[in-house]
Amino acid sequence: IPYLPTKSPIIGIPIGSDFRVLQAWKVLFNKNIFCNPVLHPGVPKGKGILRFSIMRNHQIEDLDYVAKSCKDILSLMDYKTED
């Protein structure tokens, strides 16, 4: 899973267009995974991301579930970075 490098507990996963970000966000929301879609003008056009906030009370199992869900969604979307 591609992610934006950070030393923060907020992890950004680049998705691309606003439409694709909202598609991915909705699928994750329906799986009870809460993240924030970041769309243009908050990011450059075509560079939308999903932001995940990792907290102390998250268990390893929670993070594994989110990672697997993101991997599955990106695979279904035939993920490719958009320039």
Side-chain angles (χ1 to χ4, degrees):
I1 301 170
Y3 62 93
L4 303 174
T6 183
K7 292 183 180 187
S8 163
I10 299 173
I11 308 297
I13 297 180
I15 301 295
S17 72
D18 289 355
F19 180 74
R20 287 173 56 131
V21 171
L22 291 174
Q23 281 182 315
W25 170 80
K26 185 62 175 176
V27 171
L28 291 170
F29 182 83
N30 288 339
K31 294 174 73 117
N32 292 318
I33 297 172
F34 303 101
C35 62
N36 299 101
V38 183
L39 311 171
H40 178 73
V43 292
K45 195 168 192 156
K47 302 287 185 181
I49 63 173
L50 292 174
R51 287 182 54 180
F52 294 84
S53 298
I54 310 302
M55 295 182 279
R56 185 178 188 152
N57 62 335
H58 283 124
Q59 303 296 313
I60 294 297
E61 295 81 15
D62 299 328
L63 302 176
D64 286 343
Y65 176 67
V66 170
K68 182 182 181 326
S69 296
C70 286
K71 182 179 175 187
D72 292 346
I73 289 166
L74 293 175
S75 177
L76 285 172
M77 293 174 69
D78 192 28
Y79 179 79
K80 292 178 184 65
T81 55
E82 298 174 12
D83 295 325

